[in-house]
Amino acid sequence: MTAGVDAADGVDAADGVAGVDGVDGVDGVAGVDGLVVVRPGPLTTVQDLGRRGVAHLGVPRAGAVDEPALRAANRLLGNEPGAAALETTLGGVALRALRPLLVAVTGAPCPVRVDGRPAAWGAPVPVPAGSVLDVGAATAGVRAYLAVAGGIAVPPVLGSRSADLLSGLGPAPLSAGDRLPVGPRPPRRATPELVPLPAPPGELVLRLRPGPRADWFAPDALARLARDTYRVSPAANRIALRTEGPPLVRARDGELPSEGMVLGAVQVPPDGLPVVFLADHPTTGGYPVVGVVPVADLAAAAQARPGTPLRFTVLPG
Amino acid sequence: MTAGGAAGGTDDRAGDPAGEGPGPVLRPVGERALLVELPDAAEVTALYGWLRERQSTGELPPVEEIVPAAHTVLLDGVADVPALARLLRTARPDRATTAAGPLVEVPTVYDGADLAEVAARWGVPPEEAVRIHTAPEYVVAFCGFAPGFGYLTGLPARYEVPRRATPRSAVPAGSVALAGPYTGVYPRSSPGGWQLLGRTALPLWDTARTPAALLAPGTRVRFTPVRAGSR
């Protein structure tokens, strides 16, 4: 961190120290910097519940890939369920608080430290002005969610603060030195209970509802899909969970005319390996969709590391 | 198929009590979406307009997304799939009565890198290719590929051209291009394999503007030739 940024931190921190009431007054103005990025980690993005009602313009939905974890982090702080938070990827993130903040980390289990001292995961953690909050590398799973009371208050784009890595909408992934505005702290509520969070899976099991293009595959393709074991590919990202395993056999060649795609769609490109669409999936596509994974199963998909064994169970069509 | 029954089957040709010919094919997509298959792009535009009209008057059961595409309309985030399926069975969108979308004029400098090649494919000189391309009124059939990228139909089928064998790594923003039955305008610089006819200075996509996309499904479009340097 540069001396200049430190000096700026000092000023903001001094404002924070001047009085919590005064800070609350300032909080009422949208876009007051609350955090500065010390270590961005491999890929850290701002995410909320994503964009709705704009798919017909070619705009992906984006939003947290592990949505229950985002909601849990917000619940711990009394935030609105869809308040924007930070989504980390494997390596965590570190930020300096520019004023006193309350934060919570959920999703992938990971060490949480404030100025080097261990702090709670999955519970509200106060961070004094000037302190460094360090979210360490995930000990399991992929994506941790760091929520701040008041939410990350970057300007919304098309109704959402989410970074969309397919089309580049919303804030860019964090870089060192970035300053993040934090919204006004929500009214205090009774201390929430610890939120139960599912452990990241050692084996990923995804249910699959066949269609709309199951008829593009060999008659036994679904039965084989249910019998075979796949692995999560290292190429998995926010757009899609890619897989490695036996290719699905097509009953017909070629591409479909482009058609609309949904979250959880299992698209099968020419290499025959199923691709499960996640938050940043394209709105239309031309490869046939053999089936759709229910949204309830996608949080586990979001936390499955490359190499995790993957099985599909086929629901009645 | 058990997803509400009404949307049942992977090839449920909807009933036709009124005897007006078969309704659209409905395909369930997971548990909260329906894909409506239609014979052609014009039917897609008509159904899309019909659905948006009903949505604006509150006659459409709640849906989060209505996504037209080449031969389909996807309804996603559907609260009540059977109710929507029932409505779609009775849908008889009429191309003639569906309200026409807004008209956008796209001033275009026809100096694209592929203009000569496209003209040669059409067997005409480049200036005649410009006349051919500026003659029709187009309609945005659907968007995709990138935010605000519209697939425009309206050019007669005999002028279809293939994509370039090797896509360009960077097509400049504002490029007016052709591929297959579609014309498109690149809303921003991106890789692309379409044949470049020209360029426009019109900002097609601006998230600071309402609406962000100049070309939304149903929008009518005319290309008007302008000289380089003019607007």
Side-chain angles (χ1 to χ4, degrees), chain A residues 51-59 61 157-158 166-169 209 211-213 215 257-263 283-284 292 294 315 317, chain B residues 1 27-31 33 35 37 48 52 64-72 74 76 143-144 146-148 188 205 207 212-213 216-217:
Chain A
R51 301 183 173 84
R52 295 294 186 284
V54 284
H56 63 288
L57 303 178
V59 176
R61 62 188 286 138
V157 175
L158 298 175
L166 181 73
S167 63
L169 292 179
R209 178 82 66 190
R213 301 293 174 192
D215 52 348
S258 281
E259 60 189 31
M261 292 285 142
V262 302
L263 184 66
T283 55
T284 58
V292 179
L315 297 166
Chain B
M1 174 64 218
R27 291 177 183 263
V29 180
E31 310 189 331
L35 188 69
E37 275 189 349
Y48 179 77
R52 286 293 185 202
E64 283 181 355
E65 309 285 356
I66 307 176
V67 188
H71 293 154
T72 57
L74 172 74
D76 191 13
C143 293
R188 57 178 190 193
W205 174 253
T207 55

Short mmCIF file of all heavy atoms in Angstrom, two decimals, chain A residues 51-59 61 157-158 166-169 209 211-213 215 257-263 283-284 292 294 315 317, chain B residues 1 27-31 33 35 37 48 52 64-72 74 76 143-144 146-148 188 205 207 212-213 216-217:
data_model
loop_
_atom_site.label_atom_id
_atom_site.label_comp_id
_atom_site.label_asym_id
_atom_site.label_seq_id
_atom_site.Cartn_x
_atom_site.Cartn_y
_atom_site.Cartn_z
N ARG A 51 -29.22 -9.58 -12.04
CA ARG A 51 -30.14 -8.77 -12.86
C ARG A 51 -31.33 -9.61 -13.32
O ARG A 51 -31.15 -10.75 -13.74
CB ARG A 51 -29.39 -8.22 -14.08
CG ARG A 51 -28.23 -7.36 -13.64
CD ARG A 51 -27.45 -6.69 -14.75
NE ARG A 51 -26.50 -5.79 -14.11
CZ ARG A 51 -25.30 -6.17 -13.65
NH1 ARG A 51 -24.87 -7.40 -13.83
NH2 ARG A 51 -24.54 -5.33 -12.99
N ARG A 52 -32.50 -9.01 -13.23
CA ARG A 52 -33.71 -9.70 -13.70
C ARG A 52 -34.41 -8.81 -14.71
O ARG A 52 -34.35 -7.59 -14.63
CB ARG A 52 -34.66 -9.96 -12.54
CG ARG A 52 -34.13 -10.91 -11.50
CD ARG A 52 -33.95 -12.33 -12.04
NE ARG A 52 -33.57 -13.21 -10.94
CZ ARG A 52 -32.35 -13.23 -10.41
NH1 ARG A 52 -31.40 -12.49 -10.90
NH2 ARG A 52 -32.09 -14.02 -9.39
N GLY A 53 -35.12 -9.48 -15.61
CA GLY A 53 -35.96 -8.73 -16.55
C GLY A 53 -35.19 -8.10 -17.70
O GLY A 53 -35.73 -7.27 -18.41
N VAL A 54 -33.93 -8.49 -17.88
CA VAL A 54 -33.14 -7.91 -18.97
C VAL A 54 -32.49 -8.98 -19.85
O VAL A 54 -31.69 -8.66 -20.73
CB VAL A 54 -32.05 -6.95 -18.43
CG1 VAL A 54 -32.66 -5.61 -18.01
CG2 VAL A 54 -31.28 -7.56 -17.26
N ALA A 55 -32.87 -10.23 -19.66
CA ALA A 55 -32.30 -11.31 -20.48
C ALA A 55 -32.61 -11.11 -21.96
O ALA A 55 -31.82 -11.47 -22.82
CB ALA A 55 -32.80 -12.67 -20.00
N HIS A 56 -33.77 -10.50 -22.25
CA HIS A 56 -34.14 -10.30 -23.66
C HIS A 56 -33.24 -9.28 -24.35
O HIS A 56 -33.27 -9.16 -25.57
CB HIS A 56 -35.60 -9.86 -23.77
CG HIS A 56 -35.88 -8.54 -23.12
ND1 HIS A 56 -35.89 -8.38 -21.76
CD2 HIS A 56 -36.12 -7.32 -23.64
CE1 HIS A 56 -36.15 -7.10 -21.47
NE2 HIS A 56 -36.29 -6.45 -22.60
N LEU A 57 -32.43 -8.55 -23.57
CA LEU A 57 -31.46 -7.62 -24.16
C LEU A 57 -30.09 -8.28 -24.28
O LEU A 57 -29.11 -7.61 -24.63
CB LEU A 57 -31.37 -6.36 -23.31
CG LEU A 57 -32.68 -5.60 -23.10
CD1 LEU A 57 -32.47 -4.39 -22.19
CD2 LEU A 57 -33.27 -5.16 -24.45
N GLY A 58 -30.00 -9.56 -23.94
CA GLY A 58 -28.71 -10.24 -24.00
C GLY A 58 -27.88 -10.03 -22.74
O GLY A 58 -26.67 -10.24 -22.76
N VAL A 59 -28.54 -9.63 -21.65
CA VAL A 59 -27.82 -9.36 -20.40
C VAL A 59 -27.92 -10.56 -19.47
O VAL A 59 -29.03 -10.93 -19.05
CB VAL A 59 -28.40 -8.12 -19.70
CG1 VAL A 59 -27.74 -7.89 -18.35
CG2 VAL A 59 -28.25 -6.89 -20.59
N ARG A 61 -27.76 -12.92 -16.05
CA ARG A 61 -28.33 -12.61 -14.74
C ARG A 61 -27.27 -12.25 -13.72
O ARG A 61 -27.50 -11.44 -12.85
CB ARG A 61 -29.21 -13.76 -14.25
CG ARG A 61 -28.48 -15.05 -14.06
CD ARG A 61 -29.44 -16.20 -13.75
NE ARG A 61 -29.99 -16.15 -12.43
CZ ARG A 61 -31.27 -16.40 -12.12
NH1 ARG A 61 -32.13 -16.71 -13.06
NH2 ARG A 61 -31.69 -16.37 -10.89
N VAL A 157 -25.96 -1.18 -11.82
CA VAL A 157 -26.07 -1.14 -13.29
C VAL A 157 -27.22 -2.06 -13.67
O VAL A 157 -27.21 -3.24 -13.33
CB VAL A 157 -24.76 -1.63 -13.95
CG1 VAL A 157 -24.92 -1.69 -15.47
CG2 VAL A 157 -23.59 -0.74 -13.56
N LEU A 158 -28.23 -1.51 -14.33
CA LEU A 158 -29.41 -2.28 -14.71
C LEU A 158 -29.98 -3.03 -13.50
O LEU A 158 -30.28 -4.22 -13.56
CB LEU A 158 -29.08 -3.27 -15.85
CG LEU A 158 -28.61 -2.62 -17.16
CD1 LEU A 158 -28.21 -3.70 -18.16
CD2 LEU A 158 -29.69 -1.73 -17.76
N LEU A 166 -19.11 -12.48 -17.92
CA LEU A 166 -19.30 -12.82 -19.33
C LEU A 166 -19.34 -11.56 -20.18
O LEU A 166 -18.65 -11.44 -21.18
CB LEU A 166 -20.57 -13.64 -19.55
CG LEU A 166 -20.81 -14.05 -21.01
CD1 LEU A 166 -19.82 -15.15 -21.42
CD2 LEU A 166 -22.23 -14.52 -21.26
N SER A 167 -20.17 -10.60 -19.76
CA SER A 167 -20.34 -9.42 -20.61
C SER A 167 -19.66 -8.18 -20.07
O SER A 167 -19.66 -7.14 -20.72
CB SER A 167 -21.83 -9.15 -20.82
OG SER A 167 -22.45 -8.84 -19.60
N GLY A 168 -19.05 -8.26 -18.89
CA GLY A 168 -18.29 -7.12 -18.39
C GLY A 168 -19.13 -6.04 -17.75
O GLY A 168 -18.64 -4.94 -17.49
N LEU A 169 -20.41 -6.31 -17.46
CA LEU A 169 -21.24 -5.32 -16.77
C LEU A 169 -20.91 -5.30 -15.29
O LEU A 169 -20.48 -6.29 -14.72
CB LEU A 169 -22.72 -5.65 -16.95
CG LEU A 169 -23.29 -5.50 -18.35
CD1 LEU A 169 -24.76 -5.90 -18.36
CD2 LEU A 169 -23.12 -4.08 -18.86
N ARG A 209 -33.44 -32.48 -14.56
CA ARG A 209 -34.76 -32.65 -15.16
C ARG A 209 -34.57 -32.67 -16.68
O ARG A 209 -34.09 -31.69 -17.25
CB ARG A 209 -35.66 -31.48 -14.74
CG ARG A 209 -37.05 -31.51 -15.32
CD ARG A 209 -37.99 -32.41 -14.56
NE ARG A 209 -38.27 -31.94 -13.20
CZ ARG A 209 -38.93 -32.68 -12.30
NH1 ARG A 209 -39.33 -33.90 -12.60
NH2 ARG A 209 -39.15 -32.20 -11.10
N GLY A 211 -34.72 -32.49 -20.72
CA GLY A 211 -35.31 -31.55 -21.66
C GLY A 211 -34.71 -30.17 -21.50
O GLY A 211 -33.98 -29.95 -20.55
N PRO A 212 -34.92 -29.27 -22.45
CA PRO A 212 -35.86 -29.39 -23.56
C PRO A 212 -35.34 -30.12 -24.79
O PRO A 212 -36.12 -30.39 -25.69
CB PRO A 212 -36.13 -27.92 -23.91
CG PRO A 212 -34.86 -27.22 -23.56
CD PRO A 212 -34.32 -27.94 -22.35
N ARG A 213 -34.05 -30.49 -24.83
CA ARG A 213 -33.52 -31.08 -26.06
C ARG A 213 -32.92 -32.46 -25.82
O ARG A 213 -31.94 -32.84 -26.46
CB ARG A 213 -32.47 -30.15 -26.68
CG ARG A 213 -32.99 -28.76 -27.02
CD ARG A 213 -33.99 -28.79 -28.15
NE ARG A 213 -34.58 -27.47 -28.36
CZ ARG A 213 -35.66 -27.26 -29.12
NH1 ARG A 213 -36.24 -28.27 -29.74
NH2 ARG A 213 -36.14 -26.05 -29.26
N ASP A 215 -34.07 -35.05 -26.75
CA ASP A 215 -34.26 -35.86 -27.96
C ASP A 215 -33.12 -35.67 -28.97
O ASP A 215 -33.10 -36.33 -30.01
CB ASP A 215 -35.62 -35.53 -28.61
CG ASP A 215 -35.84 -34.04 -28.84
OD1 ASP A 215 -35.05 -33.23 -28.29
OD2 ASP A 215 -36.78 -33.68 -29.56
N PRO A 257 -30.86 -23.63 -33.94
CA PRO A 257 -30.91 -22.17 -33.97
C PRO A 257 -30.85 -21.68 -32.51
O PRO A 257 -31.39 -22.34 -31.62
CB PRO A 257 -32.28 -21.88 -34.58
CG PRO A 257 -32.74 -23.16 -35.22
CD PRO A 257 -32.07 -24.26 -34.45
N SER A 258 -30.19 -20.56 -32.27
CA SER A 258 -30.05 -20.04 -30.90
C SER A 258 -31.38 -20.05 -30.17
O SER A 258 -32.40 -19.66 -30.73
CB SER A 258 -29.55 -18.60 -30.95
OG SER A 258 -28.19 -18.58 -31.18
N GLU A 259 -31.35 -20.48 -28.90
CA GLU A 259 -32.56 -20.39 -28.09
C GLU A 259 -32.20 -19.93 -26.68
O GLU A 259 -31.04 -20.01 -26.26
CB GLU A 259 -33.35 -21.70 -28.08
CG GLU A 259 -32.63 -22.89 -27.55
CD GLU A 259 -33.42 -24.19 -27.80
OE1 GLU A 259 -34.15 -24.27 -28.80
OE2 GLU A 259 -33.30 -25.10 -26.98
N GLY A 260 -33.20 -19.46 -25.94
CA GLY A 260 -32.98 -18.92 -24.61
C GLY A 260 -32.45 -19.98 -23.66
O GLY A 260 -32.81 -21.16 -23.75
N MET A 261 -31.58 -19.56 -22.75
CA MET A 261 -30.95 -20.47 -21.80
C MET A 261 -31.34 -20.08 -20.37
O MET A 261 -31.51 -18.90 -20.08
CB MET A 261 -29.43 -20.39 -21.93
CG MET A 261 -28.91 -20.96 -23.25
SD MET A 261 -28.96 -22.77 -23.25
CE MET A 261 -29.45 -23.09 -24.95
N VAL A 262 -31.45 -21.09 -19.48
CA VAL A 262 -31.80 -20.81 -18.09
C VAL A 262 -30.64 -21.17 -17.17
O VAL A 262 -29.74 -21.94 -17.55
CB VAL A 262 -33.07 -21.60 -17.65
CG1 VAL A 262 -34.25 -21.26 -18.55
CG2 VAL A 262 -32.80 -23.10 -17.64
N LEU A 263 -30.69 -20.62 -15.96
CA LEU A 263 -29.75 -21.01 -14.92
C LEU A 263 -29.90 -22.50 -14.65
O LEU A 263 -31.02 -22.99 -14.51
CB LEU A 263 -30.07 -20.21 -13.66
CG LEU A 263 -29.15 -20.37 -12.45
CD1 LEU A 263 -27.77 -19.81 -12.77
CD2 LEU A 263 -29.75 -19.67 -11.24
N THR A 283 -27.32 -15.60 -22.38
CA THR A 283 -28.78 -15.63 -22.38
C THR A 283 -29.34 -16.53 -23.48
O THR A 283 -30.47 -16.99 -23.38
CB THR A 283 -29.35 -14.22 -22.58
OG1 THR A 283 -28.79 -13.67 -23.78
CG2 THR A 283 -28.98 -13.32 -21.40
N THR A 284 -28.55 -16.73 -24.54
CA THR A 284 -28.98 -17.63 -25.61
C THR A 284 -27.81 -18.54 -25.98
O THR A 284 -26.66 -18.22 -25.72
CB THR A 284 -29.41 -16.86 -26.88
OG1 THR A 284 -28.32 -16.06 -27.33
CG2 THR A 284 -30.60 -15.96 -26.61
N VAL A 292 -32.02 -29.83 -17.12
CA VAL A 292 -31.83 -28.64 -16.29
C VAL A 292 -31.67 -29.08 -14.83
O VAL A 292 -32.46 -29.86 -14.32
CB VAL A 292 -33.02 -27.68 -16.43
CG1 VAL A 292 -32.84 -26.45 -15.53
CG2 VAL A 292 -33.19 -27.24 -17.88
N PRO A 294 -31.99 -28.33 -10.97
CA PRO A 294 -32.77 -27.41 -10.15
C PRO A 294 -31.85 -26.41 -9.44
O PRO A 294 -30.75 -26.75 -9.01
CB PRO A 294 -33.47 -28.32 -9.14
CG PRO A 294 -33.46 -29.67 -9.76
CD PRO A 294 -32.22 -29.75 -10.62
N LEU A 315 -34.14 -36.97 -12.94
CA LEU A 315 -35.50 -36.88 -12.42
C LEU A 315 -36.47 -37.36 -13.51
O LEU A 315 -36.13 -37.38 -14.69
CB LEU A 315 -35.82 -35.43 -12.04
CG LEU A 315 -34.96 -34.84 -10.93
CD1 LEU A 315 -35.11 -33.33 -10.88
CD2 LEU A 315 -35.32 -35.46 -9.59
N GLY A 317 -38.86 -37.27 -16.40
CA GLY A 317 -39.00 -36.24 -17.43
C GLY A 317 -40.42 -35.81 -17.57
O GLY A 317 -40.75 -34.98 -18.38
N MET B 1 -44.53 -36.55 -18.32
CA MET B 1 -44.08 -35.26 -17.75
C MET B 1 -44.99 -34.87 -16.63
O MET B 1 -46.20 -34.94 -16.73
CB MET B 1 -44.11 -34.22 -18.87
CG MET B 1 -43.80 -32.80 -18.41
SD MET B 1 -42.14 -32.65 -17.77
CE MET B 1 -42.43 -31.54 -16.43
N ARG B 27 -42.21 -26.76 -24.61
CA ARG B 27 -41.25 -27.67 -23.99
C ARG B 27 -40.89 -27.16 -22.60
O ARG B 27 -40.42 -26.04 -22.47
CB ARG B 27 -39.97 -27.77 -24.82
CG ARG B 27 -40.15 -28.48 -26.15
CD ARG B 27 -38.85 -28.48 -26.94
NE ARG B 27 -39.03 -29.08 -28.24
CZ ARG B 27 -38.74 -30.36 -28.52
NH1 ARG B 27 -38.23 -31.13 -27.58
NH2 ARG B 27 -38.92 -30.84 -29.73
N PRO B 28 -41.10 -27.98 -21.56
CA PRO B 28 -40.67 -27.56 -20.23
C PRO B 28 -39.14 -27.47 -20.18
O PRO B 28 -38.45 -28.28 -20.78
CB PRO B 28 -41.16 -28.67 -19.31
CG PRO B 28 -41.94 -29.61 -20.13
CD PRO B 28 -41.69 -29.32 -21.57
N VAL B 29 -38.65 -26.46 -19.48
CA VAL B 29 -37.20 -26.27 -19.28
C VAL B 29 -37.01 -26.21 -17.78
O VAL B 29 -37.26 -25.18 -17.15
CB VAL B 29 -36.72 -24.98 -19.95
CG1 VAL B 29 -35.23 -24.80 -19.75
CG2 VAL B 29 -37.07 -24.97 -21.44
N GLY B 30 -36.62 -27.34 -17.17
CA GLY B 30 -36.55 -27.37 -15.72
C GLY B 30 -37.93 -27.18 -15.13
O GLY B 30 -38.93 -27.58 -15.73
N GLU B 31 -37.97 -26.58 -13.94
CA GLU B 31 -39.23 -26.52 -13.20
C GLU B 31 -39.90 -25.17 -13.26
O GLU B 31 -41.03 -25.02 -12.84
CB GLU B 31 -38.95 -26.95 -11.76
CG GLU B 31 -38.18 -28.24 -11.84
CD GLU B 31 -37.94 -29.00 -10.57
OE1 GLU B 31 -37.88 -28.36 -9.52
OE2 GLU B 31 -37.80 -30.22 -10.67
N ALA B 33 -39.57 -22.87 -16.14
CA ALA B 33 -39.47 -22.22 -17.45
C ALA B 33 -40.16 -23.05 -18.52
O ALA B 33 -40.30 -24.27 -18.39
CB ALA B 33 -38.01 -21.99 -17.81
N LEU B 35 -40.34 -23.35 -22.92
CA LEU B 35 -39.81 -22.93 -24.21
C LEU B 35 -40.93 -23.13 -25.23
O LEU B 35 -41.47 -24.22 -25.37
CB LEU B 35 -38.59 -23.78 -24.57
CG LEU B 35 -37.79 -23.37 -25.79
CD1 LEU B 35 -37.06 -22.05 -25.54
CD2 LEU B 35 -36.78 -24.47 -26.15
N GLU B 37 -41.91 -23.26 -29.07
CA GLU B 37 -41.30 -23.42 -30.39
C GLU B 37 -42.25 -22.89 -31.45
O GLU B 37 -43.44 -23.21 -31.44
CB GLU B 37 -41.05 -24.90 -30.68
CG GLU B 37 -39.78 -25.39 -30.13
CD GLU B 37 -39.46 -26.79 -30.63
OE1 GLU B 37 -40.33 -27.45 -31.24
OE2 GLU B 37 -38.33 -27.23 -30.39
N TYR B 48 -43.83 -12.63 -29.08
CA TYR B 48 -43.11 -11.80 -28.11
C TYR B 48 -43.90 -10.50 -27.86
O TYR B 48 -44.12 -10.11 -26.71
CB TYR B 48 -41.70 -11.49 -28.62
CG TYR B 48 -40.92 -10.61 -27.67
CD1 TYR B 48 -40.38 -11.15 -26.51
CD2 TYR B 48 -40.76 -9.25 -27.91
CE1 TYR B 48 -39.68 -10.35 -25.61
CE2 TYR B 48 -40.06 -8.44 -27.02
CZ TYR B 48 -39.53 -9.00 -25.87
OH TYR B 48 -38.85 -8.21 -25.00
N ARG B 52 -45.62 -9.34 -24.31
CA ARG B 52 -45.28 -8.07 -23.65
C ARG B 52 -46.53 -7.20 -23.47
O ARG B 52 -46.65 -6.53 -22.45
CB ARG B 52 -44.22 -7.31 -24.46
CG ARG B 52 -42.82 -7.90 -24.38
CD ARG B 52 -42.22 -7.77 -22.98
NE ARG B 52 -40.84 -8.23 -22.96
CZ ARG B 52 -40.19 -8.63 -21.86
NH1 ARG B 52 -40.82 -8.63 -20.69
NH2 ARG B 52 -38.94 -9.03 -21.93
N GLU B 64 -40.32 -13.82 -14.94
CA GLU B 64 -39.18 -12.92 -14.77
C GLU B 64 -38.59 -12.50 -16.11
O GLU B 64 -38.15 -11.37 -16.28
CB GLU B 64 -38.08 -13.59 -13.94
CG GLU B 64 -38.38 -13.61 -12.46
CD GLU B 64 -37.27 -14.26 -11.64
OE1 GLU B 64 -36.29 -14.77 -12.23
OE2 GLU B 64 -37.39 -14.24 -10.41
N GLU B 65 -38.54 -13.43 -17.04
CA GLU B 65 -37.87 -13.16 -18.31
C GLU B 65 -38.70 -13.67 -19.47
O GLU B 65 -39.29 -14.76 -19.39
CB GLU B 65 -36.50 -13.86 -18.37
CG GLU B 65 -35.58 -13.62 -17.18
CD GLU B 65 -34.94 -12.24 -17.19
OE1 GLU B 65 -35.15 -11.49 -18.16
OE2 GLU B 65 -34.25 -11.92 -16.21
N ILE B 66 -38.72 -12.91 -20.54
CA ILE B 66 -39.28 -13.37 -21.82
C ILE B 66 -38.16 -13.19 -22.84
O ILE B 66 -37.76 -12.07 -23.14
CB ILE B 66 -40.52 -12.55 -22.23
CG1 ILE B 66 -41.56 -12.53 -21.09
CG2 ILE B 66 -41.12 -13.12 -23.51
CD1 ILE B 66 -42.78 -11.66 -21.40
N VAL B 67 -37.62 -14.30 -23.31
CA VAL B 67 -36.42 -14.26 -24.15
C VAL B 67 -36.72 -14.83 -25.53
O VAL B 67 -36.76 -16.05 -25.71
CB VAL B 67 -35.26 -15.05 -23.50
CG1 VAL B 67 -33.97 -14.84 -24.27
CG2 VAL B 67 -35.07 -14.65 -22.04
N PRO B 68 -36.94 -13.96 -26.51
CA PRO B 68 -37.12 -14.48 -27.86
C PRO B 68 -35.77 -14.93 -28.42
O PRO B 68 -34.73 -14.46 -27.99
CB PRO B 68 -37.65 -13.26 -28.63
CG PRO B 68 -37.09 -12.08 -27.91
CD PRO B 68 -36.95 -12.48 -26.46
N ALA B 69 -35.81 -15.85 -29.38
CA ALA B 69 -34.60 -16.29 -30.06
C ALA B 69 -34.98 -16.61 -31.50
O ALA B 69 -35.99 -16.10 -32.00
CB ALA B 69 -33.97 -17.46 -29.33
N ALA B 70 -34.20 -17.45 -32.17
CA ALA B 70 -34.41 -17.64 -33.61
C ALA B 70 -35.81 -18.20 -33.91
O ALA B 70 -36.55 -17.64 -34.72
CB ALA B 70 -33.33 -18.55 -34.17
N HIS B 71 -36.16 -19.32 -33.26
CA HIS B 71 -37.45 -19.96 -33.52
C HIS B 71 -38.21 -20.26 -32.24
O HIS B 71 -39.09 -21.13 -32.23
CB HIS B 71 -37.25 -21.27 -34.30
CG HIS B 71 -36.72 -21.06 -35.68
ND1 HIS B 71 -35.99 -22.00 -36.36
CD2 HIS B 71 -36.79 -19.98 -36.51
CE1 HIS B 71 -35.64 -21.52 -37.55
NE2 HIS B 71 -36.11 -20.30 -37.65
N THR B 72 -37.82 -19.61 -31.15
CA THR B 72 -38.41 -19.92 -29.86
C THR B 72 -38.61 -18.65 -29.04
O THR B 72 -37.97 -17.64 -29.28
CB THR B 72 -37.48 -20.86 -29.04
OG1 THR B 72 -36.21 -20.23 -28.91
CG2 THR B 72 -37.32 -22.22 -29.68
N LEU B 74 -38.53 -18.14 -24.85
CA LEU B 74 -38.35 -18.75 -23.53
C LEU B 74 -39.02 -17.87 -22.49
O LEU B 74 -38.81 -16.65 -22.47
CB LEU B 74 -36.86 -18.87 -23.21
CG LEU B 74 -36.53 -19.33 -21.78
CD1 LEU B 74 -36.81 -20.82 -21.62
CD2 LEU B 74 -35.07 -19.02 -21.44
N ASP B 76 -39.03 -17.58 -18.51
CA ASP B 76 -38.25 -18.08 -17.38
C ASP B 76 -38.70 -17.38 -16.10
O ASP B 76 -39.22 -16.27 -16.15
CB ASP B 76 -36.75 -17.84 -17.63
CG ASP B 76 -35.87 -18.58 -16.63
OD1 ASP B 76 -36.39 -19.47 -15.91
OD2 ASP B 76 -34.67 -18.28 -16.57
N CYS B 143 -32.11 -10.61 -29.09
CA CYS B 143 -30.77 -10.15 -28.69
C CYS B 143 -30.01 -11.32 -28.10
O CYS B 143 -30.59 -12.28 -27.60
CB CYS B 143 -30.85 -9.03 -27.66
SG CYS B 143 -31.55 -7.49 -28.30
N GLY B 144 -28.70 -11.22 -28.12
CA GLY B 144 -27.85 -12.27 -27.55
C GLY B 144 -26.42 -11.96 -27.91
O GLY B 144 -26.14 -10.88 -28.45
N ALA B 146 -24.04 -10.51 -26.87
CA ALA B 146 -23.53 -9.47 -25.97
C ALA B 146 -24.70 -8.56 -25.64
O ALA B 146 -25.66 -8.47 -26.40
CB ALA B 146 -22.41 -8.69 -26.65
N PRO B 147 -24.64 -7.86 -24.49
CA PRO B 147 -25.73 -6.94 -24.17
C PRO B 147 -25.97 -5.94 -25.29
O PRO B 147 -25.04 -5.29 -25.76
CB PRO B 147 -25.24 -6.24 -22.90
CG PRO B 147 -24.32 -7.23 -22.26
CD PRO B 147 -23.64 -7.92 -23.41
N GLY B 148 -27.20 -5.85 -25.75
CA GLY B 148 -27.56 -4.89 -26.78
C GLY B 148 -27.24 -5.31 -28.19
O GLY B 148 -27.44 -4.52 -29.12
N ARG B 188 -20.23 -2.94 -28.95
CA ARG B 188 -18.90 -2.56 -28.46
C ARG B 188 -17.91 -3.49 -29.13
O ARG B 188 -18.29 -4.47 -29.77
CB ARG B 188 -18.82 -2.71 -26.94
CG ARG B 188 -19.15 -4.10 -26.53
CD ARG B 188 -19.03 -4.33 -25.06
NE ARG B 188 -19.13 -5.76 -24.86
CZ ARG B 188 -19.32 -6.35 -23.70
NH1 ARG B 188 -19.43 -5.64 -22.62
NH2 ARG B 188 -19.40 -7.66 -23.64
N TRP B 205 -25.53 0.85 -27.06
CA TRP B 205 -25.64 0.30 -25.70
C TRP B 205 -25.02 1.28 -24.74
O TRP B 205 -23.86 1.65 -24.90
CB TRP B 205 -24.93 -1.05 -25.64
CG TRP B 205 -24.86 -1.64 -24.27
CD1 TRP B 205 -23.77 -1.72 -23.45
CD2 TRP B 205 -25.93 -2.26 -23.55
NE1 TRP B 205 -24.10 -2.34 -22.28
CE2 TRP B 205 -25.42 -2.68 -22.31
CE3 TRP B 205 -27.28 -2.49 -23.84
CZ2 TRP B 205 -26.20 -3.32 -21.35
CZ3 TRP B 205 -28.06 -3.12 -22.89
CH2 TRP B 205 -27.51 -3.54 -21.66
N THR B 207 -25.39 1.89 -20.52
CA THR B 207 -26.11 1.54 -19.29
C THR B 207 -26.51 2.79 -18.51
O THR B 207 -27.34 2.72 -17.61
CB THR B 207 -25.26 0.64 -18.38
OG1 THR B 207 -24.01 1.29 -18.12
CG2 THR B 207 -25.02 -0.71 -19.03
N ALA B 212 -31.16 1.24 -21.94
CA ALA B 212 -29.74 1.01 -22.20
C ALA B 212 -29.52 0.52 -23.63
O ALA B 212 -28.57 0.90 -24.30
CB ALA B 212 -29.18 -0.01 -21.21
N ALA B 213 -30.44 -0.33 -24.09
CA ALA B 213 -30.29 -0.92 -25.43
C ALA B 213 -31.17 -0.16 -26.41
O ALA B 213 -32.38 -0.05 -26.22
CB ALA B 213 -30.68 -2.39 -25.40
N ALA B 216 -33.91 -3.33 -28.99
CA ALA B 216 -34.52 -4.39 -28.18
C ALA B 216 -35.44 -5.20 -29.10
O ALA B 216 -35.83 -4.74 -30.16
CB ALA B 216 -35.33 -3.76 -27.04
N PRO B 217 -35.78 -6.43 -28.71
CA PRO B 217 -36.67 -7.23 -29.55
C PRO B 217 -37.92 -6.45 -29.93
O PRO B 217 -38.53 -5.79 -29.09
CB PRO B 217 -37.01 -8.43 -28.66
CG PRO B 217 -35.82 -8.56 -27.76
CD PRO B 217 -35.37 -7.14 -27.50
#
